[in-house]
Amino acid sequence: MGEFFNAILNFINYAVSIAPRLFEGLKMTASMTICSLALGIVVGLISCFFSISRVKILNKLSGAYLSVIRGTPLMVQAMFIYFGITGALGFRISSFSASIIVLMLNAGAYLSEIFRSGIKAINKGQMEAARSLGLPHGVAMRKIILPQAFRIVIPSVTNQFIITLKDTSILSVIGVAELMRQSNQIVSGNFRGFETYAVVAIWYYVLVVILTKLFKLLERRLAN
């Protein structure tokens, strides 16, 4: 029993000792997640409106975008954007910028379908009633349909937020100094992989729990 408690104490001491370096990675992970999700919501809404538009070319553009993003792995997209496109065009962008682009495009594709399902869940009669009262389609969509749709899709948006947060770990392959890359560098220096990755897993778990609680609070407030 004494050895067990010593092991736990050693683990805690080790977790505290590497916390400053992991915190640097955590700040990068948080920045990537927030920036990419904010932009992804914009991209998702645009793609959603394209997909439900009566203009066929817009439908096709949205469909092609969704097909490409959903049909290729995120790591391949990251390598293609960071090494492929920049190499072919002869310019460089930072690994952080490339990561934001990749995460934004991925989040936007899945959010597009989430928003579309939320809009489709609203009774068509509400739009017809708004139009019969003289409201333009855009105004009716913005003031009547979208607020209701957002309340419906909050659980799905929460899941996408969490997925994007965890996807940031994949982007260590292009050199982003996020949480996972910081942990890899720590392990390469001290070879304590078990303890280091256990600490990182705990950090990710705590982040996911906090985000889930915050979104549930937001969902309850909007429901009221």
Side-chain angles (χ1 to χ4, degrees), residues 124-135:
K124 292 182 179 180
Q126 295 197 38
M127 175 60 79
E128 294 171 357
R131 296 304 302 277
S132 68
L133 293 173
L135 287 178

Side-chain angles (χ1 to χ4, degrees), residues 9-23 199 203:
L9 184 60
N10 289 335
F11 177 78
I12 294 173
N13 290 334
Y14 179 70
V16 172
S17 70
I18 65 173
R21 288 193 63 181
L22 292 182
F23 185 70
V199 173
W203 280 46

Side-chain angles (χ1 to χ4, degrees), residues 15 18 52 59 65 76 86 90 93 119 150 158 171-172 178 180 220:
I18 65 173
I52 63 177
N59 296 159
Y65 161 59
V76 174
T86 57
I93 60 174
I119 290 173
F150 278 131
T158 303
L171 298 174
S172 61
E178 43 69 65
M180 193 63 194
R220 287 198 296 268

Side-chain angles (χ1 to χ4, degrees), residues 29 33 37 74 103 159-171 178 180 204-205 207-208 211:
T29 294
T33 303
L37 257 297
L74 186 143
L103 292 172
N159 289 336
Q160 185 56 50
F161 202 111
I162 292 170
I163 289 170
T164 301
L165 170 68
K166 292 189 288 188
D167 281 347
T168 59
S169 63
I170 299 175
L171 298 174
E178 43 69 65
M180 193 63 194
Y204 274 114
Y205 178 75
L207 282 173
V208 169
L211 286 173

Side-chain angles (χ1 to χ4, degrees), residues 105-219:
L105 292 175
N106 268 268
Y110 291 99
L111 287 171
S112 173
E113 289 297 278
I114 291 171
F115 294 148
R116 187 177 67 86
S117 65
I119 290 173
K120 292 294 184 182
I122 306 301
N123 193 309
K124 292 182 179 180
Q126 295 197 38
M127 175 60 79
E128 294 171 357
R131 296 304 302 277
S132 68
L133 293 173
L135 287 178
H137 184 275
V139 175
M141 179 65 73
R142 188 175 70 253
K143 293 189 174 182
I144 297 175
I145 304 301
L146 285 181
Q148 298 179 74
F150 278 131
R151 285 196 290 270
I152 293 172
V153 303
I154 282 179
S156 298
V157 172
T158 303
N159 289 336
Q160 185 56 50
F161 202 111
I162 292 170
I163 289 170
T164 301
L165 170 68
K166 292 189 288 188
D167 281 347
T168 59
S169 63
I170 299 175
L171 298 174
S172 61
V173 297
I174 60 173
V176 186
E178 43 69 65
L179 189 55
M180 193 63 194
R181 185 170 180 82
Q182 291 285 2
S183 64
N184 289 337
Q185 291 176 344
I186 292 171
V187 172
S188 67
N190 61 18
F191 303 103
R192 299 180 66 173
F194 178 81
E195 300 100 318
T196 304
Y197 294 129
V199 173
V200 172
I202 292 170
W203 280 46
Y204 274 114
Y205 178 75
V206 171
L207 282 173
V208 169
V209 170
I210 292 172
L211 286 173
T212 302
K213 296 289 186 183
L214 290 175
F215 274 101
K216 284 188 178 297
L217 178 61
L218 175 62
E219 184 178 4

